Amino acid sequence: MSAPMISLDSLAPASSMDAMLAKATSGGCSSSSCGSSAKPEDMDTAIWEKIKDHPCYSEEAHHYFARMHVAVAPACNIQCNYCNRKYDCANESRPGVVSEKLTPDQARRKVIAVANEVPQLSVLGIAGPGDACYDWRKTKATFEEVSRDIPDIKLCISTNGLALPDHVDELVEMNVDHVTITINMVDPEIGTKIYPWIFYRNRRYTGLEASRILHERQMLGLEMLTARGILTKINSVMIPGVNDEHLLEVNKWVKERGAFLHNVMPLISDPAHGTHFGLTGQRGPKAMELKALQDKLEGGAKLMRHCRQCRADAVGLLGEDRGQEFTLDQIPDEVAYDPAGRETYREVVARERGDHAAAKQAAVNTVKETEAAGSLLVAVATKGGGRINEHFGHAREFQVYEASPKGIVFVGHRKVEQYCMGGFGEDATLDGVIEALEGIDVVLCAKIGDCPSDSLAAAGIRATDAYGFDYIEAAIGALYAAEFGLELLAESA
Ligand code: CLF
Ligand code: SF4
């Protein structure tokens, strides 16, 4: 199989089309033959136009495009048992203190600075650290200010839904066409185990009444958004023993009300975060428990499986966080938007993703044609661009794909501590990486040494760098065909 050596990640700093194309075509790329559209055949064109550059709403887009969050909305109107207000909103973030809360003008300057430096940027999201709809004045001002300078940036919000119905008309006016609602229950009895109180119409409610109001407002908000053609994503936090099985019911309800995606995220629970669940010993699900629930949900509302539970001030591709490069002290008082980098990047991506789509389709066909009965769980080290382009020891996460007679699908990711620092690997870190790769059959990466490869093998996980820089699905297709009899699997490194 040919292995064109492109990393779109490496294209990012190049500012001209010529420079980006020169990098893209080095190593034997054949991209010029392909069209710019990778639209799935079964998707409506209008919907594809809305999601094709949104890294959360399209799994395919998340290989190419970045989002940034601005932490302009610190106030919240409910209490979730998995949240400590000193930390990011768990609607959209892993627990970790937001570095800086921003005013709308500071947010505007930060977005422009990021857009000038990160050509992958396509979406501006407001995901707290409180609730974007409750802290509405600042959310609205931020969107209005940024849209004036960067009219083509997509606007996206995340909310608990309580205040959402009050702002749907303004969301339409502002052209916000992606809204996430966190819905953890459709049975208020279960809600009492997750929400101790809400604050609604100047009154505090507790117990069953609080959960009933929240539930009704969430359903109303979802129905209003669907009626206006805004794409909705439902986030649900999977809390073992509380709402895990109940999320099957949630999935049915939100599908009936027009949700575009359902994103089931694992509870992150740690006593150090100071949350009710953390302090009372409520555990989060293991990776394979999450996958089992997601597998059960297949066939209902379409699932998002590539969520990274971002911080409320995250910047970059979903698997990375470049927030520390854009703290306020590094941003000038006056900053002007230069669209050249983003425009050029999009042109290069349009060509690259056409090639990627063709390679993916060929690989899926290969897998289906083998008529094998088995499945393979494959963990991939990647820096983006849809390719196997990260060294095993440098990976901070692995993307997980399942190959089976149904095709090749992205089924999740596993976060790990970087194993190799400054040329040396720590055994203890490697043990943690191997633990995180529980259930994985094969690891694909751009490079791996004998030591980690042997340790993985001892744990029953094969690893190879034989497909380095290939498209992910193309490599998995070849691997699957080899596994089930067509060719011998490439030798481990
Ligand atoms: Fe941000 Fe959320 Fe918009 Fe994406 S994140 S507001 S929809 S731009 Fe995305 Fe991050 Fe998951 Fe959220 S990976 S936590 S789903
Ligand atoms: Fe925390 Fe978000 Fe829940 Fe509010 S909605 S309590 S900020 S997790």
Side-chain angles (χ1 to χ4, degrees):
M1 176 186 328
S2 68
M5 305 260 298
I6 309 170
S7 160
L8 284 179
D9 179 61
S10 71
L11 302 183
S15 57
S16 74
M17 183 73 174
D18 285 348
M20 284 193 189
L21 279 175
K23 286 191 180 183
T25 51
S26 67
C29 172
S30 59
S31 67
S32 59
S33 61
C34 293
S36 63
S37 170
K39 179 176 95 62
E41 282 172 11
D42 58 353
M43 186 170 288
D44 181 84
T45 302
I47 292 182
W48 174 246
E49 280 305 314
K50 283 187 182 178
I51 68 163
K52 71 180 173 55
D53 299 342
H54 196 307
C56 304
Y57 281 68
S58 161
E59 188 275 309
E60 193 248 351
H62 105 283
H63 295 291
Y64 302 107
F65 290 102
R67 51 74 184 106
M68 71 176 289
H69 291 162
V70 285
V72 294
C76 189
N77 49 357
I78 71 173
Q79 178 63 58
C80 304
N81 279 335
Y82 46 72
C83 177
N84 175 350
R85 293 289 159 79
K86 283 190 286 186
Y87 290 85
D88 292 356
C89 173
N91 276 342
E92 288 288 343
S93 57
R94 64 182 151 78
V97 180
V98 173
S99 312
E100 303 173 311
K101 289 173 192 138
L102 305 178
T103 65
D105 183 61
Q106 288 169 332
R108 179 188 65 82
R109 287 192 285 121
K110 180 170 176 174
V111 176
I112 292 172
V114 172
N116 287 347
E117 289 296 318
V118 182
Q120 299 101 324
L121 181 69
S122 62
V123 178
L124 167 63
I126 298 183
D131 186 78
C133 281
Y134 180 59
D135 219 339
W136 180 249
R137 200 176 44 78
K138 283 180 265 174
T139 295
K140 187 176 178 190
T142 301
F143 279 162
E144 286 175 344
E145 289 200 23
V146 173
S147 305
R148 266 197 295 274
D149 286 310
I150 312 179
D152 72 334
I153 199 161
K154 282 192 180 303
L155 305 177
C156 191
I157 65 163
S158 168
T159 173
N160 62 45
L162 185 61
L164 171 63
D166 302 334
H167 302 297
V168 169
D169 290 338
E170 290 163 286
L171 288 168
V172 174
E173 279 165 28
M174 287 193 294
N175 233 352
V176 177
D177 52 15
H178 298 81
V179 174
T180 294
I181 315 171
T182 298
I183 300 179
N184 296 316
M185 54 85 197
V186 291
D187 175 354
E189 284 286 355
I190 291 176
T192 61
K193 298 174 192 162
I194 304 170
Y195 305 105
W197 57 260
I198 68 166
F199 188 72
Y200 177 62
R201 303 274 189 255
N202 298 316
R203 228 191 102 186
R204 190 177 160 108
Y205 293 84
T206 58
L208 200 57
E209 198 180 14
S211 289
R212 185 183 52 71
I213 294 169
L214 179 62
H215 165 60
E216 288 172 1
R217 297 286 289 175
Q218 288 176 335
M219 293 302 123
L220 175 62
L222 172 56
E223 287 165 8
M224 291 173 76
L225 292 170
T226 300
R228 286 158 178 81
I230 294 180
L231 292 184
T232 47
K233 174 167 67 63
I234 307 304
N235 280 1
S236 298
V237 181
M238 178 185 178
I239 310 163
V242 174
N243 73 345
D244 41 355
E245 287 301 317
H246 179 62
L247 291 180
L248 292 160
E249 196 63 20
V250 171
N251 185 277
K252 272 189 214 146
W253 277 61
V254 302
K255 183 180 182 186
E256 281 166 15
R257 286 159 183 77
F260 180 70
L261 278 177
H262 189 194
N263 172 27
V264 177
M265 314 183 296
L267 171 72
I268 300 173
S269 182
D270 187 323
H273 300 154
T275 64
H276 174 78
F277 281 150
L279 294 171
T280 55
Q282 171 63 53
R283 73 173 180 92
K286 292 182 181 166
M288 291 306 277
E289 289 175 324
L290 175 68
K291 181 177 181 301
L293 176 62
Q294 289 172 328
D295 289 349
K296 266 196 205 171
L297 290 169
E298 283 295 350
K302 189 171 157 45
L303 292 185
M304 173 189 188
R305 296 209 194 202
H306 60 284
C307 177
R308 303 301 201 278
Q309 294 176 280
C310 323
R311 291 172 56 96
D313 54 5
V315 174
L317 295 171
L318 294 194
E320 68 180 5
D321 190 355
R322 299 180 58 182
Q324 289 311 306
E325 295 170 43
F326 300 98
T327 50
L328 273 184
D329 57 320
Q330 300 175 80
I331 296 170
D333 290 343
E334 293 298 329
V335 50
Y337 175 51
D338 176 1
R342 289 179 67 237
E343 284 170 4
T344 307
Y345 179 77
R346 276 160 195 262
E347 288 175 42
V348 175
V349 167
R351 296 182 182 210
E352 172 75 355
R353 94 196 282 187
D355 270 356
H356 186 185
K360 179 176 176 176
Q361 192 54 54
V364 168
N365 292 343
T366 301
V367 164
K368 288 183 175 167
E369 280 164 15
T370 59
E371 295 180 355
S375 68
L376 264 188
L377 212 52
V378 183
V380 179
T382 175
K383 291 195 270 196
R387 293 181 184 271
I388 302 160
N389 52 10
E390 180 66 286
H391 289 207
F392 176 83
H394 296 163
R396 292 202 169 107
E397 69 163 34
F398 290 87
Q399 296 188 1
V400 180
Y401 290 75
E402 187 163 38
S404 76
K406 291 188 212 154
I408 301 170
V409 286
F410 183 104
V411 292
H413 72 285
R414 306 281 176 88
K415 282 189 182 160
V416 296
E417 202 179 323
Q418 186 172 332
Y419 159 61
C420 179
M421 305 293 264
F424 295 98
E426 286 286 339
D427 286 349
T429 309
L430 183 58
D431 291 345
V433 176
I434 291 172
E435 195 179 328
L437 293 174
E438 178 204 355
I440 299 295
D441 296 305
V442 183
V443 171
L444 297 178
C445 53
K447 198 76 198 159
I448 185 166
D450 291 340
C451 172
S453 190
D454 291 346
S455 299
L456 284 161
I461 303 168
R462 287 169 285 158
T464 177
D465 53 18
Y467 300 94
F469 299 97
D470 278 5
Y471 284 124
I472 293 168
E473 294 87 352
I476 294 173
L479 189 64
Y480 188 85
E483 185 82 5
F484 291 99
L486 296 188
E487 284 172 40
L488 286 177
L489 171 61
E491 288 292 309
S492 284

